């Protein structure tokens, strides 16, 4: 590749001392020839920063280390790191995930051959507590994403359907449209914000990342997820309400959060059973507007 563009590989990390070495080794082992590493430690209380610097200092690859003195949200941390980036493109990585060696090479090749502004890809999910690896998407899920890329915003505005590990984006877009620092699901929000403005998203049908799922992952915290979901969708609520199917999906998602929160707050099995029954009723009321059909289906369940 003649004069390959500079890529800034940004690693955002906090209390990842057990995992940061793997993330850094995957960053330092990229086959792509022209990139820098920017690691931002979000005021870790363990040895994350020291472990990362120990790994990165052993290799002849440009890197910058940023250490917060106080803790911020992921979105603000990314915005800070981007302000230190020199690359034409930015690739994002969490300190508990890791990348394949050809990750950057594949992303740069794709974005130079296709009229897109940012890229997602296929990958793996690794469940830490179970020591289990699975595909990030089922074949059906992946086909759906690829087939509907041309209307990505519409498909994802009521529910995030992508695993946003290793997001690769033109730096100029992150400067022009910084991450929303009031939202926890900042990656989903960015995807919607850029596609709503007409920027094009690409998807590489190759497994280029490993997404580590921990028992403490944000996706397990239902109250935070509900709050973030409402903040993101509120931006596009008029669009959602104007489409009957989207609005139905939106309502079902709110019901889902409501009952997951209630279930997480009780240890009583009888109360859990009651809540599941109520959940089922509310869900069917939204899904089936015909009262007769609704009660028939409810009886079958």
């Amino acid at each position: 590749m003649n004069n390959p563009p500079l890529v800034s590989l940004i690693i955002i990390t906090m209390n990842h001392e057990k995992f940061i070495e793997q993330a850094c080794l995957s960053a330092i082992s990229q086959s792509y020839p022209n990139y820098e590493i920017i690691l931002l430690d979000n005021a870790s209380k363990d040895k994350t920063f020291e472990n990362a610097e120990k790994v990165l200092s052993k290799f002849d690859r440009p890197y910058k280390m940023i250490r917060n003195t106080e803790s911020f949200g992921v979105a603000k941390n990314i915005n800070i790191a981007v302000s230190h980036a020199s690359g034409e493109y930015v690739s994002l990585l969490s300190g508990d995930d890791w990348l394949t060696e050809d990750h950057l090479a594949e992303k740069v090749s794709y974005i130079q051959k296709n009229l897109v502004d940012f890229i997602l890809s296929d990958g793996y999910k690794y469940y830490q507590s179970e020591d289990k690896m699975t595909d990030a998407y089922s074949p059906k899920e992946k086909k759906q994403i690829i087939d509907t890329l041309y209307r990505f915003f519409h498909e994802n505005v009521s529910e995030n359907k992508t695993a946003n590990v290793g997001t690769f984006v033109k730096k100029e877009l992150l400067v022009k449209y910084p991450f929303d620092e009031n939202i926890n699901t900042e990656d989903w929000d960015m995807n919607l914000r850029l596609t709503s403005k007409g920027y094009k998203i690409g998807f590489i049908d190759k497994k280029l990342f490993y997404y580590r799922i921990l028992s403490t992952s944000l996706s397990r915290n239902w109250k935070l997820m509900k709050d973030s979901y409402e903040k993101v969708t509120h931006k596009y609520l008029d669009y959602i309400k104007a489409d009957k199917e989207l609005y139905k999906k939106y309502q079902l998602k709110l019901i889902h959060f409501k009952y997951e929160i209630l279930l997480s707050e009780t240890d009583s099995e009888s109360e859990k059973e009651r809540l599941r029954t109520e959940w089922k009723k509310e869900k069917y009321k939204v899904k089936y507007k015909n009262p007769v059909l609704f009660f028939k289906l409810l009886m079958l369940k």
Side-chain angles (χ1 to χ4, degrees):
M1 186 183 294
N2 294 325
N3 299 318
L6 178 64
V7 177
S8 296
L9 201 173
I10 291 175
I11 303 173
I12 303 295
T13 186
M14 179 180 178
N15 297 331
H16 289 147
E17 68 176 1
K18 295 179 180 178
F19 314 123
I20 193 62
E21 180 179 357
Q22 188 171 29
C24 287
L25 286 173
S26 79
I28 213 77
S29 302
Q30 292 297 303
S31 60
Y32 185 71
N34 191 25
Y35 68 101
E36 63 176 1
I37 295 172
I38 298 173
L39 185 140
L40 186 148
D41 179 86
N42 190 33
S44 291
K45 298 185 183 303
D46 59 13
K47 294 188 179 300
T48 297
F49 187 87
E50 292 80 3
N51 291 355
E53 190 164 39
K54 184 178 179 180
V55 174
L56 295 178
S57 64
K58 291 180 180 178
F59 297 88
D60 186 24
R61 170 64 57 189
Y63 72 93
K64 301 174 186 176
M65 302 282 291
I66 304 166
R67 193 174 197 176
N68 290 346
T69 55
E70 60 180 304
S71 177
F72 302 117
V74 175
K76 182 166 185 173
N77 286 319
I78 296 175
N79 289 338
I80 292 170
V82 168
S83 72
H84 290 265
S86 304
E88 181 179 346
Y89 301 107
V90 165
S91 184
L92 301 174
L93 178 66
S94 172
D96 55 348
D97 300 328
W98 68 104
L99 307 174
T100 62
E101 290 185 2
D102 57 346
H103 185 100
L104 293 184
E106 290 286 352
K107 294 286 180 70
V108 173
S109 176
Y110 185 94
I111 206 166
Q112 292 192 320
K113 292 176 182 176
N114 297 274
L115 296 175
V116 299
D117 301 289
F118 63 115
I119 310 169
L120 302 178
S121 76
D122 194 6
Y124 297 100
K125 289 180 179 179
Y126 176 67
Y127 294 85
Q128 179 71 29
S129 61
E130 303 169 53
D131 189 23
K132 183 179 73 173
M133 191 84 73
T134 66
D135 293 334
Y137 304 101
S138 69
K140 183 179 179 181
E141 288 170 337
K142 185 165 64 172
K143 185 178 187 304
Q144 174 70 9
I145 290 170
I146 294 171
D147 289 349
T148 59
L149 275 179
Y150 69 96
R151 56 173 191 173
F152 183 92
F153 174 81
H154 184 86
E155 290 292 316
N156 286 267
V157 70
S158 63
E159 182 178 5
N160 181 32
K161 297 179 181 178
T162 57
N164 305 300
V165 180
T167 297
F168 188 95
V169 59
K170 293 177 179 177
K171 180 194 167 186
E172 63 185 81
L173 296 183
L174 298 186
V175 173
K176 189 174 183 180
Y177 306 107
F179 280 86
D180 187 334
E181 297 179 5
N182 296 311
I183 291 174
N184 290 312
T185 48
E186 72 293 327
D187 43 13
W188 176 37
D189 180 63
M190 187 199 75
N191 291 347
L192 294 180
R193 185 152 31 94
L194 293 183
T195 51
S196 71
K197 295 180 181 299
Y199 293 104
K200 304 298 182 185
I201 188 168
F203 186 91
I204 300 177
D205 189 9
K206 295 182 180 180
K207 295 187 180 300
L208 302 179
F209 67 78
Y210 296 87
Y211 171 37
R212 191 189 310 269
I213 298 177
L214 305 169
S215 59
T216 55
S217 293
L218 177 60
S219 57
R220 306 294 178 91
N221 191 321
W222 294 110
K223 285 186 177 180
L224 273 178
M225 289 298 290
K226 178 178 181 291
D227 175 71
S228 195
Y229 179 81
E230 290 179 326
K231 284 179 178 176
V232 172
T233 52
H234 179 74
K235 298 179 180 183
Y236 311 105
L237 205 50
D238 289 343
Y239 182 93
I240 292 170
K241 287 183 175 180
D243 185 286
K244 188 182 298 184
E245 286 305 310
L246 281 181
Y247 190 49
K248 185 185 293 186
K249 290 177 182 178
Y250 168 78
Q251 290 175 297
L252 289 171
K253 196 71 177 176
L254 290 181
I255 291 170
H256 178 86
F257 284 127
K258 171 185 174 181
Y259 282 97
E260 288 288 9
I261 291 169
L262 291 171
L263 285 167
S264 69
E265 293 176 339
T266 181
D267 294 322
S268 167
E269 288 304 318
S270 60
E271 177 64 8
K272 286 182 178 181
E273 187 60 33
R274 187 191 69 79
L275 287 169
R276 291 189 185 102
T277 301
E278 290 300 314
W279 183 355
K280 194 177 295 184
K281 289 179 181 178
E282 279 200 52
K283 181 172 68 174
Y284 285 167
K285 282 180 182 178
V286 172
K287 291 179 73 173
Y288 308 106
K289 297 299 184 183
N290 183 318
V292 176
L293 179 59
F294 162 63
F295 284 112
K296 282 185 177 179
L297 287 167
L298 191 59
M299 292 301 291
L300 288 174
K301 300 293 181 179

